[in-house]
Every structure is written in C-alpha cells, then in structure tokens.
Amino acid sequence: MPSKFPLKSVSFAAVAALVALTASSASAQKFPITDGQKATASQVAQAGVPLSELSPSAPDSYTVKRGDTLWAVSGLFLKTPWRWPELWGMNLNDIRNPHLIFPGQVLYLDKTGGRARLTTRGPDGDTVKVTPRVRSESLSASAIPTVNMAVIESFLAEPLIVDDATFAKAPRIIATQENRVLLSRGDRAYARARSAENPEAAPLAVVNGKTGAFRVFRNAVPLRDPTTNAILAYEAQYVGKVNVVGSESTAESTDSAGKKVTEIIPASLDVVAAKEEMQVGDRLLPEPEREFSNFVPRSPRTPQTGQVVSVYGNAVRFAAQNQVVAINRGREHGIERGHVLAVLRESNVLTDTTDTGRPQVRLPGERNGLIMVFRTFDKISYAIVLDIQDGVQVGHRFVNP
C-alpha cells in the first residue's frame, strides 16, 4: 500500500541525532551522562584515538544488531571495552548519547592520519542513506544495553543491604492460610508491623484502595571484611514479593465472661512472586524505587583496591562469568555504578624446590578477569563478572583495570 507521505532519503546522522534527542528528553534521568564522560568524548572527538588503542581485529565497519551490548561493540573496536566513552567520542557528531545506540546503525572505522575515529559515514565520505520508517516501540527501550541486562535485572533490587536494627523492626509474616509451612506464588499469608518491641510502627494498610507492594527477605547475614573481619553491612536474602490486600487493624469483641477485649487482625498478603518458598518469620521491606538500568563501563578516576567479600547464591563458592559478587568498597570510597575493576588471582606462597635453601616465594597476583559495579551502598557494592579465566572467590583482590 502506498504511503500517505512521500519517502525521501535522509542522512543517517540526521536520523541518529533525531532518535537521540527524542529519547534523551524522555530518559535524561534514567540514563545520565557524567561531566567526565562528556569531557572524554569531546577530547576524543577532536583528536581521535591512537591506532595502538584499537583491537588488533577491529573491523572496518559493523552493523549494530539486536542482542548486541555496548560492552561487546566497544570490545570489537578497542582493546579495553570499558573505554566506551572514547568510542562514543570518536562519533560524537552522530551519536549524541552513549546509552542510545540502536540496531541498524552502521559504524565505520576511519584510520586516516594515524588516528582512529568512528563514524556513520562510509569510507568514501558519502553520507549513508536510509529510508525513514515509523517506530511504534519506545526508542529508549530499543537501544542496545551496556551488558546482558537479563543477568543484572533481578539483582537491581535484590539482595538488599540493611542495618540490623531496620531488619529487626521490619513487618514479618506471622501466619499462613491453612497452616501451610511454606508459601509460593498465589498463596495467602498474614503479617504484622507492630510488636511488643515496636509498638509505634505504622500498620500495614491498603491506601486509597491501592495494594502495597513489598519484597520479602530473611536471614540478615553479616558481610565481613576478609582482612579485618569487621562487619561492613548486613545482606538480607530475597525470597519473593507480596501485595498487601487487607489492612492490619484491631477490633473490639466480648469474651465468654462478657469482658471486652481487643483482637489483633493482621494484614492479608497475596504472594505474587517467589524466588524461594516463604515461611513464618520472613520480613517485609517496601518495594524500592527502580534505579536506572543502563551503565557506562569506565575505569575509576581514583585508585581503587579491595577484596571480594561474598559470592551471591546459596552454596556457591566460585563466581563464573555473569555471576554476582559483593566487594568491600562502596560510595564512601568513590565507587560508582559502571566502574570496571580487574580481579587478581590469589597470591600463593610456595617453596622453591629448585633452590637447596628451600626459600618461601610468593607468586604475583596476576589479572584473572574483569567485574563491573552495578549497585552501590555505603561500604559495599555489587558487581557482575564480565570476563574471567578462573573462578572468583571470597578474598580475591581487585584493582583498577
């Protein structure tokens, strides 16, 4: 069927700029660009990147596909994928926002003059022509992510770092329907916020006819520094989600002796998601605000060193690629979401059997892989394992990449 509007060839750069401007206005808060990233991009956009910084197998051109990530695309062109802002800067005139690179864009590598630049213009200098079409999907949703978001998504609000006092005062499940020991999705449970220890707590309630959303946790486990053994924070184990469908209240009644008594009526809960089966005693914490779910991989601007304090997951000792670890550095130490850190192999001590003196020698802690921070707290951060040769375990050290 012929279109109602005449189709004209337009420059890819114009389309890319329009896409970026349209999406960035709606997602400025969701996908922030730091001043440091802008400065790096502006500098590289003017001078380009030294050819020595390119990956030996960098292609002359690449078409962005669905399923790509910024980490993977950056790794095609540069030796160090966390230097994505520089890859963006190489194409600053055409790509206004490093979080908004879309499937279908063709990236060309220009290596003239001993410097490398990335552009959406072909090697002959002609502007790439495209035929515009209507997009009914969200532009920001169609942009390729930094890393595989399916891996990180479930960790953006879990596990949860809390202080022991907050966890102890949190509302708790006190009973189950039909006295079930364990609860799963679709089951009904009952909870209270008030207790003898916390009599002034606000009761769980349905507000203005809207159900309240809570996440369910258990076992606030202390996270300790591997070297000092000091408690850095408490990690609560996420087990699922519930909605408050009936308010916590009290009611007056008369007992068999005719005496008036106050009956406690707990709040009614519907289990809407269960990672593990819930039980009496599990704690409720409010559904947190959703944090932005895209990240710009980059090296920390200040020297960083620390250790892995835990590997997330029951009975998991070694973290492999796409698993999550906690580290003993957080916002207080200048750690930010998107920071890439190099994990080192354990520095082992052994005996030199080739020396008659049998001296003890310590093997150097060499690089084992890379992790990227995606969630930060005061003294603790969570990071995803991006690349790894051997498994990561508690006590392994990390440094700037």
Side-chain angles (χ1 to χ4, degrees):
M1 179 181 295
S3 172
K4 294 172 60 178
F5 304 100
L7 296 179
K8 297 181 181 180
S9 293
V10 297
S11 73
F12 205 134
V15 173
L18 177 60
V19 166
L21 287 173
T22 303
S24 62
S25 63
S27 54
Q29 296 299 320
K30 189 174 182 181
F31 304 124
I33 308 172
T34 68
D35 292 338
Q37 293 164 23
K38 291 179 182 178
T40 298
S42 299
Q43 178 182 358
V44 177
Q46 296 174 9
V49 170
L51 298 185
S52 60
E53 298 297 326
L54 290 177
S55 168
S57 57
D60 293 329
S61 65
Y62 180 75
T63 301
V64 180
K65 305 185 299 295
R66 288 191 179 276
D68 278 341
T69 63
L70 296 182
W71 180 268
V73 172
S74 179
L76 287 174
F77 293 97
L78 296 173
K79 293 178 180 178
T80 50
W82 63 85
R83 296 177 63 175
W84 168 250
E86 296 184 39
L87 187 62
W88 165 46
M90 293 159 66
N91 191 27
L92 186 61
N93 291 330
D94 292 339
I95 301 175
R96 304 290 180 178
N97 189 324
H99 310 287
L100 299 173
I101 309 299
F102 295 90
Q105 281 188 298
V106 183
L107 308 177
Y108 294 92
L109 186 61
D110 177 9
K111 295 185 282 189
T112 59
R115 308 287 288 188
R117 298 172 181 81
L118 203 61
T119 179
T120 54
R121 297 176 184 272
D124 56 0
D126 295 334
T127 301
V128 178
K129 304 294 183 180
V130 297
T131 301
R133 61 185 175 86
V134 175
R135 289 191 180 198
S136 59
E137 61 186 324
S138 166
L139 292 179
S140 60
S142 64
I144 67 172
T146 303
V147 294
N148 185 350
M149 293 307 300
V151 176
I152 289 182
E153 196 73 23
S154 62
F155 289 94
L156 292 179
E158 54 157 295
L160 186 70
I161 297 298
V162 296
D163 61 83
D164 197 31
T166 298
F167 191 80
K169 293 181 179 180
R172 71 274 178 210
I173 295 176
I174 65 164
T176 63
Q177 198 172 47
E178 300 175 351
N179 294 320
R180 294 181 181 178
V181 176
L182 301 175
L183 299 167
S184 58
R185 183 177 178 182
D187 288 340
R188 173 64 59 88
Y190 304 95
R192 292 184 62 210
R194 292 183 175 178
S195 65
E197 297 81 12
N198 195 21
E200 302 301 323
L204 294 170
V206 176
V207 181
N208 298 325
K210 295 182 179 180
T211 60
F214 287 82
R215 290 183 177 254
V216 183
F217 297 87
R218 75 166 59 107
N219 300 338
V221 178
L223 295 179
R224 296 180 180 272
D225 187 286
T227 300
T228 66
N229 203 39
I231 296 177
L232 302 175
Y234 288 86
E235 179 185 83
Q237 178 187 355
Y238 169 80
V239 293
K241 296 172 64 174
V242 296
N243 286 340
V244 177
V245 295
S247 299
E248 178 181 357
S249 61
T250 58
E252 298 294 331
S253 65
T254 304
D255 63 14
S256 58
K259 183 179 179 181
K260 289 185 177 181
V261 295
T262 300
E263 293 184 334
I264 298 173
I265 301 175
S268 298
L269 312 175
D270 279 346
V271 180
V272 295
K275 184 176 180 180
E276 297 183 17
E277 291 181 310
M278 301 174 197
Q279 59 192 28
V280 171
D282 287 346
R283 298 284 175 164
L284 278 58
L285 292 168
E287 181 81 10
E289 292 185 8
R290 185 175 179 81
E291 298 178 350
F292 73 87
S293 57
N294 216 325
F295 311 87
V296 177
R298 61 198 187 278
S299 177
R301 285 178 289 183
T302 57
Q304 294 289 344
T305 182
Q307 291 174 278
V308 173
V309 299
S310 74
V311 175
Y312 190 69
N314 292 333
V316 176
R317 181 182 177 188
F318 294 94
Q321 186 174 12
N322 288 336
Q323 288 188 283
V324 172
V325 298
I327 61 174
N328 62 349
R329 292 293 183 272
R331 290 189 289 255
E332 291 182 358
H333 310 94
I335 291 291
E336 300 173 2
R337 290 172 292 194
H339 276 173
V340 175
L341 302 162
V343 180
L344 306 179
R345 285 188 176 88
E346 191 172 0
S347 178
N348 295 326
V349 176
L350 51 80
T351 301
D352 181 2
T353 58
T354 66
D355 187 331
T356 57
R358 297 294 193 270
Q360 297 292 302
V361 297
R362 179 178 291 278
L363 299 182
E366 298 173 332
R367 178 184 287 194
N368 186 29
L370 297 171
I371 59 176
M372 188 193 77
V373 173
F374 65 87
R375 196 170 183 210
T376 60
F377 297 90
D378 290 341
K379 294 181 173 63
I380 290 284
S381 297
Y382 287 106
I384 180 175
V385 179
L386 293 172
D387 302 307
I388 200 68
Q389 297 177 28
D390 300 323
V392 182
Q393 62 180 320
V394 173
H396 278 186
R397 304 197 67 82
F398 63 82
V399 295
N400 289 52

